[in-house]
Amino acid sequence: MKLFPLLLAALPAIALAQDLPPVLHPDQLTAIHAAPGVTLWELSGRSAPAGARSDKVSVALFRLEPGKASAWSHNKLGEESFFVLSGEGEVWTDSKVQAVKPGSYIVIQPSTVRSIRASKGVPLTFYAVTSPAWSSDDDVLTTAPAGAPK
């Protein structure tokens, strides 16, 4: 008779365990090859795995091979930030360049043309966080500003 009350008490905890948010790792996700030498894994966002989908924010892990760069683009509405995990490179915002290394963090306002580039000889890995969540409708591909690499 004492077992039945214990089972009833455990039911809410069992139900909660089934609704836990997923713990994701890039190794579990399908790599997206955005361009030669530019790979990303979407951890959260509009097309993320079930339980991690969001229209409010997207998080993607990027890997740029040595000397490769993200496309020149800007968001119409989305604010974006990059958090560098490993490697070295540079981030261009409009026609200004800044060096980045592990631990570097930058917030990029909407309408700011940007690109991030890995240095030659070493890959660059970083998280890109976009709010609201990244969408192709918000992302505008453009050309490099004057003085910036193509």
Side-chain angles (χ1 to χ4, degrees), residues 5-32:
L6 287 174
L7 285 173
L8 284 178
L11 282 177
I14 293 170
L16 282 176
Q18 293 174 355
D19 291 334
L20 289 175
V23 174
L24 300 173
H25 191 277
D27 291 346
Q28 302 168 317
L29 304 173
T30 302
I32 299 167

mmCIF file with all atom_site columns, all heavy atoms in Angstrom, residues 5-32:
data_model
loop_
_atom_site.group_PDB
_atom_site.id
_atom_site.type_symbol
_atom_site.label_atom_id
_atom_site.label_alt_id
_atom_site.label_comp_id
_atom_site.label_asym_id
_atom_site.label_entity_id
_atom_site.label_seq_id
_atom_site.pdbx_PDB_ins_code
_atom_site.Cartn_x
_atom_site.Cartn_y
_atom_site.Cartn_z
_atom_site.occupancy
_atom_site.B_iso_or_equiv
_atom_site.pdbx_formal_charge
_atom_site.auth_seq_id
_atom_site.auth_comp_id
_atom_site.auth_asym_id
_atom_site.auth_atom_id
_atom_site.pdbx_PDB_model_num
ATOM 1   N N   . PRO A 1 5  ? 1.265  5.517  -3.035  1.00 0.00 ? 5  PRO A N   1
ATOM 2   C CA  . PRO A 1 5  ? 1.472  6.959  -2.820  1.00 0.00 ? 5  PRO A CA  1
ATOM 3   C C   . PRO A 1 5  ? 2.830  7.438  -3.350  1.00 0.00 ? 5  PRO A C   1
ATOM 4   O O   . PRO A 1 5  ? 2.950  8.554  -3.853  1.00 0.00 ? 5  PRO A O   1
ATOM 5   C CB  . PRO A 1 5  ? 1.393  7.129  -1.302  1.00 0.00 ? 5  PRO A CB  1
ATOM 6   C CG  . PRO A 1 5  ? 0.627  5.950  -0.814  1.00 0.00 ? 5  PRO A CG  1
ATOM 7   C CD  . PRO A 1 5  ? 0.927  4.831  -1.768  1.00 0.00 ? 5  PRO A CD  1
ATOM 8   N N   . LEU A 1 6  ? 3.864  6.600  -3.273  1.00 0.00 ? 6  LEU A N   1
ATOM 9   C CA  . LEU A 1 6  ? 5.175  6.978  -3.809  1.00 0.00 ? 6  LEU A CA  1
ATOM 10  C C   . LEU A 1 6  ? 5.117  7.137  -5.322  1.00 0.00 ? 6  LEU A C   1
ATOM 11  O O   . LEU A 1 6  ? 5.701  8.065  -5.882  1.00 0.00 ? 6  LEU A O   1
ATOM 12  C CB  . LEU A 1 6  ? 6.232  5.937  -3.434  1.00 0.00 ? 6  LEU A CB  1
ATOM 13  C CG  . LEU A 1 6  ? 6.664  5.929  -1.974  1.00 0.00 ? 6  LEU A CG  1
ATOM 14  C CD1 . LEU A 1 6  ? 7.605  4.767  -1.700  1.00 0.00 ? 6  LEU A CD1 1
ATOM 15  C CD2 . LEU A 1 6  ? 7.336  7.239  -1.622  1.00 0.00 ? 6  LEU A CD2 1
ATOM 16  N N   . LEU A 1 7  ? 4.417  6.241  -5.994  1.00 0.00 ? 7  LEU A N   1
ATOM 17  C CA  . LEU A 1 7  ? 4.273  6.343  -7.451  1.00 0.00 ? 7  LEU A CA  1
ATOM 18  C C   . LEU A 1 7  ? 3.514  7.610  -7.827  1.00 0.00 ? 7  LEU A C   1
ATOM 19  O O   . LEU A 1 7  ? 3.885  8.301  -8.773  1.00 0.00 ? 7  LEU A O   1
ATOM 20  C CB  . LEU A 1 7  ? 3.553  5.118  -8.013  1.00 0.00 ? 7  LEU A CB  1
ATOM 21  C CG  . LEU A 1 7  ? 4.387  3.841  -8.095  1.00 0.00 ? 7  LEU A CG  1
ATOM 22  C CD1 . LEU A 1 7  ? 3.516  2.673  -8.513  1.00 0.00 ? 7  LEU A CD1 1
ATOM 23  C CD2 . LEU A 1 7  ? 5.531  4.018  -9.074  1.00 0.00 ? 7  LEU A CD2 1
ATOM 24  N N   . LEU A 1 8  ? 2.435  7.917  -7.092  1.00 0.00 ? 8  LEU A N   1
ATOM 25  C CA  . LEU A 1 8  ? 1.671  9.137  -7.373  1.00 0.00 ? 8  LEU A CA  1
ATOM 26  C C   . LEU A 1 8  ? 2.542  10.374 -7.162  1.00 0.00 ? 8  LEU A C   1
ATOM 27  O O   . LEU A 1 8  ? 2.479  11.331 -7.940  1.00 0.00 ? 8  LEU A O   1
ATOM 28  C CB  . LEU A 1 8  ? 0.429  9.214  -6.480  1.00 0.00 ? 8  LEU A CB  1
ATOM 29  C CG  . LEU A 1 8  ? -0.735 8.307  -6.871  1.00 0.00 ? 8  LEU A CG  1
ATOM 30  C CD1 . LEU A 1 8  ? -1.876 8.447  -5.862  1.00 0.00 ? 8  LEU A CD1 1
ATOM 31  C CD2 . LEU A 1 8  ? -1.228 8.637  -8.255  1.00 0.00 ? 8  LEU A CD2 1
ATOM 32  N N   . ALA A 1 9  ? 3.358  10.367 -6.142  1.00 0.00 ? 9  ALA A N   1
ATOM 33  C CA  . ALA A 1 9  ? 4.224  11.511 -5.877  1.00 0.00 ? 9  ALA A CA  1
ATOM 34  C C   . ALA A 1 9  ? 5.285  11.671 -6.964  1.00 0.00 ? 9  ALA A C   1
ATOM 35  O O   . ALA A 1 9  ? 5.710  12.781 -7.283  1.00 0.00 ? 9  ALA A O   1
ATOM 36  C CB  . ALA A 1 9  ? 4.889  11.354 -4.511  1.00 0.00 ? 9  ALA A CB  1
ATOM 37  N N   . ALA A 1 10 ? 5.715  10.569 -7.567  1.00 0.00 ? 10 ALA A N   1
ATOM 38  C CA  . ALA A 1 10 ? 6.766  10.604 -8.589  1.00 0.00 ? 10 ALA A CA  1
ATOM 39  C C   . ALA A 1 10 ? 6.243  11.006 -9.964  1.00 0.00 ? 10 ALA A C   1
ATOM 40  O O   . ALA A 1 10 ? 7.022  11.446 -10.809 1.00 0.00 ? 10 ALA A O   1
ATOM 41  C CB  . ALA A 1 10 ? 7.454  9.246  -8.679  1.00 0.00 ? 10 ALA A CB  1
ATOM 42  N N   . LEU A 1 11 ? 4.962  10.886 -10.218 1.00 0.00 ? 11 LEU A N   1
ATOM 43  C CA  . LEU A 1 11 ? 4.412  11.183 -11.544 1.00 0.00 ? 11 LEU A CA  1
ATOM 44  C C   . LEU A 1 11 ? 4.724  12.592 -12.042 1.00 0.00 ? 11 LEU A C   1
ATOM 45  O O   . LEU A 1 11 ? 5.131  12.762 -13.191 1.00 0.00 ? 11 LEU A O   1
ATOM 46  C CB  . LEU A 1 11 ? 2.911  10.902 -11.579 1.00 0.00 ? 11 LEU A CB  1
ATOM 47  C CG  . LEU A 1 11 ? 2.530  9.429  -11.696 1.00 0.00 ? 11 LEU A CG  1
ATOM 48  C CD1 . LEU A 1 11 ? 1.014  9.280  -11.644 1.00 0.00 ? 11 LEU A CD1 1
ATOM 49  C CD2 . LEU A 1 11 ? 3.082  8.809  -12.956 1.00 0.00 ? 11 LEU A CD2 1
ATOM 50  N N   . PRO A 1 12 ? 4.569  13.646 -11.228 1.00 0.00 ? 12 PRO A N   1
ATOM 51  C CA  . PRO A 1 12 ? 4.918  14.977 -11.741 1.00 0.00 ? 12 PRO A CA  1
ATOM 52  C C   . PRO A 1 12 ? 6.396  15.087 -12.149 1.00 0.00 ? 12 PRO A C   1
ATOM 53  O O   . PRO A 1 12 ? 6.725  15.705 -13.147 1.00 0.00 ? 12 PRO A O   1
ATOM 54  C CB  . PRO A 1 12 ? 4.608  15.921 -10.575 1.00 0.00 ? 12 PRO A CB  1
ATOM 55  C CG  . PRO A 1 12 ? 3.603  15.187 -9.751  1.00 0.00 ? 12 PRO A CG  1
ATOM 56  C CD  . PRO A 1 12 ? 3.947  13.728 -9.901  1.00 0.00 ? 12 PRO A CD  1
ATOM 57  N N   . ALA A 1 13 ? 7.278  14.475 -11.395 1.00 0.00 ? 13 ALA A N   1
ATOM 58  C CA  . ALA A 1 13 ? 8.705  14.524 -11.746 1.00 0.00 ? 13 ALA A CA  1
ATOM 59  C C   . ALA A 1 13 ? 8.969  13.770 -13.040 1.00 0.00 ? 13 ALA A C   1
ATOM 60  O O   . ALA A 1 13 ? 9.764  14.210 -13.873 1.00 0.00 ? 13 ALA A O   1
ATOM 61  C CB  . ALA A 1 13 ? 9.545  13.942 -10.613 1.00 0.00 ? 13 ALA A CB  1
ATOM 62  N N   . ILE A 1 14 ? 8.314  12.657 -13.247 1.00 0.00 ? 14 ILE A N   1
ATOM 63  C CA  . ILE A 1 14 ? 8.473  11.889 -14.491 1.00 0.00 ? 14 ILE A CA  1
ATOM 64  C C   . ILE A 1 14 ? 7.957  12.708 -15.662 1.00 0.00 ? 14 ILE A C   1
ATOM 65  O O   . ILE A 1 14 ? 8.603  12.792 -16.708 1.00 0.00 ? 14 ILE A O   1
ATOM 66  C CB  . ILE A 1 14 ? 7.752  10.526 -14.386 1.00 0.00 ? 14 ILE A CB  1
ATOM 67  C CG1 . ILE A 1 14 ? 8.469  9.639  -13.345 1.00 0.00 ? 14 ILE A CG1 1
ATOM 68  C CG2 . ILE A 1 14 ? 7.695  9.836  -15.751 1.00 0.00 ? 14 ILE A CG2 1
ATOM 69  C CD1 . ILE A 1 14 ? 7.703  8.385  -12.985 1.00 0.00 ? 14 ILE A CD1 1
ATOM 70  N N   . ALA A 1 15 ? 6.820  13.361 -15.495 1.00 0.00 ? 15 ALA A N   1
ATOM 71  C CA  . ALA A 1 15 ? 6.261  14.190 -16.570 1.00 0.00 ? 15 ALA A CA  1
ATOM 72  C C   . ALA A 1 15 ? 7.196  15.347 -16.894 1.00 0.00 ? 15 ALA A C   1
ATOM 73  O O   . ALA A 1 15 ? 7.422  15.665 -18.062 1.00 0.00 ? 15 ALA A O   1
ATOM 74  C CB  . ALA A 1 15 ? 4.881  14.708 -16.177 1.00 0.00 ? 15 ALA A CB  1
ATOM 75  N N   . LEU A 1 16 ? 7.762  15.989 -15.865 1.00 0.00 ? 16 LEU A N   1
ATOM 76  C CA  . LEU A 1 16 ? 8.691  17.092 -16.102 1.00 0.00 ? 16 LEU A CA  1
ATOM 77  C C   . LEU A 1 16 ? 9.933  16.621 -16.838 1.00 0.00 ? 16 LEU A C   1
ATOM 78  O O   . LEU A 1 16 ? 10.447 17.305 -17.713 1.00 0.00 ? 16 LEU A O   1
ATOM 79  C CB  . LEU A 1 16 ? 9.093  17.752 -14.786 1.00 0.00 ? 16 LEU A CB  1
ATOM 80  C CG  . LEU A 1 16 ? 8.081  18.705 -14.174 1.00 0.00 ? 16 LEU A CG  1
ATOM 81  C CD1 . LEU A 1 16 ? 8.576  19.197 -12.821 1.00 0.00 ? 16 LEU A CD1 1
ATOM 82  C CD2 . LEU A 1 16 ? 7.823  19.878 -15.096 1.00 0.00 ? 16 LEU A CD2 1
ATOM 83  N N   . ALA A 1 17 ? 10.437 15.446 -16.500 1.00 0.00 ? 17 ALA A N   1
ATOM 84  C CA  . ALA A 1 17 ? 11.645 14.924 -17.149 1.00 0.00 ? 17 ALA A CA  1
ATOM 85  C C   . ALA A 1 17 ? 11.425 14.736 -18.635 1.00 0.00 ? 17 ALA A C   1
ATOM 86  O O   . ALA A 1 17 ? 12.345 14.897 -19.432 1.00 0.00 ? 17 ALA A O   1
ATOM 87  C CB  . ALA A 1 17 ? 12.068 13.616 -16.491 1.00 0.00 ? 17 ALA A CB  1
ATOM 88  N N   . GLN A 1 18 ? 10.221 14.426 -19.037 1.00 0.00 ? 18 GLN A N   1
ATOM 89  C CA  . GLN A 1 18 ? 9.928  14.224 -20.454 1.00 0.00 ? 18 GLN A CA  1
ATOM 90  C C   . GLN A 1 18 ? 9.834  15.548 -21.196 1.00 0.00 ? 18 GLN A C   1
ATOM 91  O O   . GLN A 1 18 ? 9.963  15.585 -22.400 1.00 0.00 ? 18 GLN A O   1
ATOM 92  C CB  . GLN A 1 18 ? 8.636  13.432 -20.616 1.00 0.00 ? 18 GLN A CB  1
ATOM 93  C CG  . GLN A 1 18 ? 8.766  12.009 -20.109 1.00 0.00 ? 18 GLN A CG  1
ATOM 94  C CD  . GLN A 1 18 ? 7.444  11.277 -20.130 1.00 0.00 ? 18 GLN A CD  1
ATOM 95  O OE1 . GLN A 1 18 ? 6.413  11.850 -20.429 1.00 0.00 ? 18 GLN A OE1 1
ATOM 96  N NE2 . GLN A 1 18 ? 7.485  10.001 -19.808 1.00 0.00 ? 18 GLN A NE2 1
ATOM 97  N N   . ASP A 1 19 ? 9.631  16.673 -20.501 1.00 0.00 ? 19 ASP A N   1
ATOM 98  C CA  . ASP A 1 19 ? 9.502  17.981 -21.134 1.00 0.00 ? 19 ASP A CA  1
ATOM 99  C C   . ASP A 1 19 ? 10.759 18.834 -21.000 1.00 0.00 ? 19 ASP A C   1
ATOM 100 O O   . ASP A 1 19 ? 10.715 20.035 -21.205 1.00 0.00 ? 19 ASP A O   1
ATOM 101 C CB  . ASP A 1 19 ? 8.312  18.739 -20.521 1.00 0.00 ? 19 ASP A CB  1
ATOM 102 C CG  . ASP A 1 19 ? 6.989  18.096 -20.908 1.00 0.00 ? 19 ASP A CG  1
ATOM 103 O OD1 . ASP A 1 19 ? 6.934  17.443 -21.958 1.00 0.00 ? 19 ASP A OD1 1
ATOM 104 O OD2 . ASP A 1 19 ? 6.029  18.253 -20.138 1.00 0.00 ? 19 ASP A OD2 1
ATOM 105 N N   . LEU A 1 20 ? 11.861 18.219 -20.628 1.00 0.00 ? 20 LEU A N   1
ATOM 106 C CA  . LEU A 1 20 ? 13.095 18.982 -20.487 1.00 0.00 ? 20 LEU A CA  1
ATOM 107 C C   . LEU A 1 20 ? 13.532 19.532 -21.836 1.00 0.00 ? 20 LEU A C   1
ATOM 108 O O   . LEU A 1 20 ? 13.380 18.871 -22.864 1.00 0.00 ? 20 LEU A O   1
ATOM 109 C CB  . LEU A 1 20 ? 14.211 18.091 -19.936 1.00 0.00 ? 20 LEU A CB  1
ATOM 110 C CG  . LEU A 1 20 ? 14.093 17.683 -18.482 1.00 0.00 ? 20 LEU A CG  1
ATOM 111 C CD1 . LEU A 1 20 ? 15.200 16.698 -18.122 1.00 0.00 ? 20 LEU A CD1 1
ATOM 112 C CD2 . LEU A 1 20 ? 14.172 18.891 -17.579 1.00 0.00 ? 20 LEU A CD2 1
ATOM 113 N N   . PRO A 1 21 ? 14.093 20.740 -21.839 1.00 0.00 ? 21 PRO A N   1
ATOM 114 C CA  . PRO A 1 21 ? 14.627 21.264 -23.103 1.00 0.00 ? 21 PRO A CA  1
ATOM 115 C C   . PRO A 1 21 ? 15.810 20.401 -23.530 1.00 0.00 ? 21 PRO A C   1
ATOM 116 O O   . PRO A 1 21 ? 16.519 19.851 -22.694 1.00 0.00 ? 21 PRO A O   1
ATOM 117 C CB  . PRO A 1 21 ? 15.061 22.682 -22.751 1.00 0.00 ? 21 PRO A CB  1
ATOM 118 C CG  . PRO A 1 21 ? 15.193 22.713 -21.279 1.00 0.00 ? 21 PRO A CG  1
ATOM 119 C CD  . PRO A 1 21 ? 14.290 21.656 -20.731 1.00 0.00 ? 21 PRO A CD  1
ATOM 120 N N   . PRO A 1 22 ? 16.025 20.285 -24.824 1.00 0.00 ? 22 PRO A N   1
ATOM 121 C CA  . PRO A 1 22 ? 17.128 19.429 -25.279 1.00 0.00 ? 22 PRO A CA  1
ATOM 122 C C   . PRO A 1 22 ? 18.486 20.054 -24.978 1.00 0.00 ? 22 PRO A C   1
ATOM 123 O O   . PRO A 1 22 ? 18.650 21.269 -25.034 1.00 0.00 ? 22 PRO A O   1
ATOM 124 C CB  . PRO A 1 22 ? 16.893 19.344 -26.790 1.00 0.00 ? 22 PRO A CB  1
ATOM 125 C CG  . PRO A 1 22 ? 16.172 20.611 -27.130 1.00 0.00 ? 22 PRO A CG  1
ATOM 126 C CD  . PRO A 1 22 ? 15.314 20.920 -25.924 1.00 0.00 ? 22 PRO A CD  1
ATOM 127 N N   . VAL A 1 23 ? 19.415 19.215 -24.633 1.00 0.00 ? 23 VAL A N   1
ATOM 128 C CA  . VAL A 1 23 ? 20.812 19.626 -24.532 1.00 0.00 ? 23 VAL A CA  1
ATOM 129 C C   . VAL A 1 23 ? 21.425 19.261 -25.880 1.00 0.00 ? 23 VAL A C   1
ATOM 130 O O   . VAL A 1 23 ? 21.463 18.095 -26.260 1.00 0.00 ? 23 VAL A O   1
ATOM 131 C CB  . VAL A 1 23 ? 21.554 18.913 -23.386 1.00 0.00 ? 23 VAL A CB  1
ATOM 132 C CG1 . VAL A 1 23 ? 23.034 19.250 -23.411 1.00 0.00 ? 23 VAL A CG1 1
ATOM 133 C CG2 . VAL A 1 23 ? 20.935 19.278 -22.048 1.00 0.00 ? 23 VAL A CG2 1
ATOM 134 N N   . LEU A 1 24 ? 21.855 20.274 -26.608 1.00 0.00 ? 24 LEU A N   1
ATOM 135 C CA  . LEU A 1 24 ? 22.343 20.054 -27.969 1.00 0.00 ? 24 LEU A CA  1
ATOM 136 C C   . LEU A 1 24 ? 23.853 20.187 -28.033 1.00 0.00 ? 24 LEU A C   1
ATOM 137 O O   . LEU A 1 24 ? 24.456 20.954 -27.286 1.00 0.00 ? 24 LEU A O   1
ATOM 138 C CB  . LEU A 1 24 ? 21.719 21.072 -28.921 1.00 0.00 ? 24 LEU A CB  1
ATOM 139 C CG  . LEU A 1 24 ? 20.200 21.052 -29.003 1.00 0.00 ? 24 LEU A CG  1
ATOM 140 C CD1 . LEU A 1 24 ? 19.701 22.213 -29.841 1.00 0.00 ? 24 LEU A CD1 1
ATOM 141 C CD2 . LEU A 1 24 ? 19.714 19.737 -29.564 1.00 0.00 ? 24 LEU A CD2 1
ATOM 142 N N   . HIS A 1 25 ? 24.440 19.451 -28.947 1.00 0.00 ? 25 HIS A N   1
ATOM 143 C CA  . HIS A 1 25 ? 25.869 19.548 -29.234 1.00 0.00 ? 25 HIS A CA  1
ATOM 144 C C   . HIS A 1 25 ? 26.010 19.564 -30.748 1.00 0.00 ? 25 HIS A C   1
ATOM 145 O O   . HIS A 1 25 ? 25.301 18.833 -31.445 1.00 0.00 ? 25 HIS A O   1
ATOM 146 C CB  . HIS A 1 25 ? 26.621 18.359 -28.631 1.00 0.00 ? 25 HIS A CB  1
ATOM 147 C CG  . HIS A 1 25 ? 28.090 18.543 -28.681 1.00 0.00 ? 25 HIS A CG  1
ATOM 148 N ND1 . HIS A 1 25 ? 28.829 18.259 -29.801 1.00 0.00 ? 25 HIS A ND1 1
ATOM 149 C CD2 . HIS A 1 25 ? 28.962 19.000 -27.751 1.00 0.00 ? 25 HIS A CD2 1
ATOM 150 C CE1 . HIS A 1 25 ? 30.099 18.537 -29.565 1.00 0.00 ? 25 HIS A CE1 1
ATOM 151 N NE2 . HIS A 1 25 ? 30.207 18.985 -28.328 1.00 0.00 ? 25 HIS A NE2 1
ATOM 152 N N   . PRO A 1 26 ? 26.895 20.394 -31.277 1.00 0.00 ? 26 PRO A N   1
ATOM 153 C CA  . PRO A 1 26 ? 27.036 20.469 -32.741 1.00 0.00 ? 26 PRO A CA  1
ATOM 154 C C   . PRO A 1 26 ? 27.269 19.115 -33.415 1.00 0.00 ? 26 PRO A C   1
ATOM 155 O O   . PRO A 1 26 ? 26.839 18.916 -34.547 1.00 0.00 ? 26 PRO A O   1
ATOM 156 C CB  . PRO A 1 26 ? 28.240 21.401 -32.934 1.00 0.00 ? 26 PRO A CB  1
ATOM 157 C CG  . PRO A 1 26 ? 28.253 22.241 -31.710 1.00 0.00 ? 26 PRO A CG  1
ATOM 158 C CD  . PRO A 1 26 ? 27.759 21.352 -30.596 1.00 0.00 ? 26 PRO A CD  1
ATOM 159 N N   . ASP A 1 27 ? 27.933 18.185 -32.712 1.00 0.00 ? 27 ASP A N   1
ATOM 160 C CA  . ASP A 1 27 ? 28.161 16.856 -33.299 1.00 0.00 ? 27 ASP A CA  1
ATOM 161 C C   . ASP A 1 27 ? 26.855 16.124 -33.613 1.00 0.00 ? 27 ASP A C   1
ATOM 162 O O   . ASP A 1 27 ? 26.841 15.208 -34.433 1.00 0.00 ? 27 ASP A O   1
ATOM 163 C CB  . ASP A 1 27 ? 28.995 15.987 -32.358 1.00 0.00 ? 27 ASP A CB  1
ATOM 164 C CG  . ASP A 1 27 ? 30.423 16.464 -32.229 1.00 0.00 ? 27 ASP A CG  1
ATOM 165 O OD1 . ASP A 1 27 ? 30.863 17.304 -33.049 1.00 0.00 ? 27 ASP A OD1 1
ATOM 166 O OD2 . ASP A 1 27 ? 31.114 16.003 -31.295 1.00 0.00 ? 27 ASP A OD2 1
ATOM 167 N N   . GLN A 1 28 ? 25.768 16.510 -32.966 1.00 0.00 ? 28 GLN A N   1
ATOM 168 C CA  . GLN A 1 28 ? 24.471 15.865 -33.167 1.00 0.00 ? 28 GLN A CA  1
ATOM 169 C C   . GLN A 1 28 ? 23.672 16.511 -34.299 1.00 0.00 ? 28 GLN A C   1
ATOM 170 O O   . GLN A 1 28 ? 22.636 16.007 -34.677 1.00 0.00 ? 28 GLN A O   1
ATOM 171 C CB  . GLN A 1 28 ? 23.620 15.963 -31.896 1.00 0.00 ? 28 GLN A CB  1
ATOM 172 C CG  . GLN A 1 28 ? 24.237 15.363 -30.671 1.00 0.00 ? 28 GLN A CG  1
ATOM 173 C CD  . GLN A 1 28 ? 23.475 15.772 -29.421 1.00 0.00 ? 28 GLN A CD  1
ATOM 174 O OE1 . GLN A 1 28 ? 23.084 16.924 -29.248 1.00 0.00 ? 28 GLN A OE1 1
ATOM 175 N NE2 . GLN A 1 28 ? 23.275 14.803 -28.537 1.00 0.00 ? 28 GLN A NE2 1
ATOM 176 N N   . LEU A 1 29 ? 24.140 17.649 -34.788 1.00 0.00 ? 29 LEU A N   1
ATOM 177 C CA  . LEU A 1 29 ? 23.370 18.439 -35.747 1.00 0.00 ? 29 LEU A CA  1
ATOM 178 C C   . LEU A 1 29 ? 23.925 18.296 -37.154 1.00 0.00 ? 29 LEU A C   1
ATOM 179 O O   . LEU A 1 29 ? 25.099 17.976 -37.341 1.00 0.00 ? 29 LEU A O   1
ATOM 180 C CB  . LEU A 1 29 ? 23.393 19.918 -35.337 1.00 0.00 ? 29 LEU A CB  1
ATOM 181 C CG  . LEU A 1 29 ? 22.887 20.214 -33.928 1.00 0.00 ? 29 LEU A CG  1
ATOM 182 C CD1 . LEU A 1 29 ? 23.118 21.676 -33.593 1.00 0.00 ? 29 LEU A CD1 1
ATOM 183 C CD2 . LEU A 1 29 ? 21.421 19.844 -33.784 1.00 0.00 ? 29 LEU A CD2 1
ATOM 184 N N   . THR A 1 30 ? 23.085 18.574 -38.113 1.00 0.00 ? 30 THR A N   1
ATOM 185 C CA  . THR A 1 30 ? 23.504 18.562 -39.503 1.00 0.00 ? 30 THR A CA  1
ATOM 186 C C   . THR A 1 30 ? 24.266 19.852 -39.807 1.00 0.00 ? 30 THR A C   1
ATOM 187 O O   . THR A 1 30 ? 23.778 20.944 -39.538 1.00 0.00 ? 30 THR A O   1
ATOM 188 C CB  . THR A 1 30 ? 22.276 18.457 -40.429 1.00 0.00 ? 30 THR A CB  1
ATOM 189 O OG1 . THR A 1 30 ? 21.557 17.264 -40.092 1.00 0.00 ? 30 THR A OG1 1
ATOM 190 C CG2 . THR A 1 30 ? 22.684 18.416 -41.884 1.00 0.00 ? 30 THR A CG2 1
ATOM 191 N N   . ALA A 1 31 ? 25.448 19.692 -40.351 1.00 0.00 ? 31 ALA A N   1
ATOM 192 C CA  . ALA A 1 31 ? 26.253 20.858 -40.722 1.00 0.00 ? 31 ALA A CA  1
ATOM 193 C C   . ALA A 1 31 ? 25.639 21.524 -41.946 1.00 0.00 ? 31 ALA A C   1
ATOM 194 O O   . ALA A 1 31 ? 25.158 20.856 -42.865 1.00 0.00 ? 31 ALA A O   1
ATOM 195 C CB  . ALA A 1 31 ? 27.683 20.438 -41.025 1.00 0.00 ? 31 ALA A CB  1
ATOM 196 N N   . ILE A 1 32 ? 25.643 22.836 -41.940 1.00 0.00 ? 32 ILE A N   1
ATOM 197 C CA  . ILE A 1 32 ? 25.167 23.627 -43.076 1.00 0.00 ? 32 ILE A CA  1
ATOM 198 C C   . ILE A 1 32 ? 26.395 24.294 -43.688 1.00 0.00 ? 32 ILE A C   1
ATOM 199 O O   . ILE A 1 32 ? 27.115 25.022 -43.010 1.00 0.00 ? 32 ILE A O   1
ATOM 200 C CB  . ILE A 1 32 ? 24.147 24.689 -42.621 1.00 0.00 ? 32 ILE A CB  1
ATOM 201 C CG1 . ILE A 1 32 ? 22.937 24.008 -41.979 1.00 0.00 ? 32 ILE A CG1 1
ATOM 202 C CG2 . ILE A 1 32 ? 23.737 25.583 -43.790 1.00 0.00 ? 32 ILE A CG2 1
ATOM 203 C CD1 . ILE A 1 32 ? 22.021 24.963 -41.223 1.00 0.00 ? 32 ILE A CD1 1
#
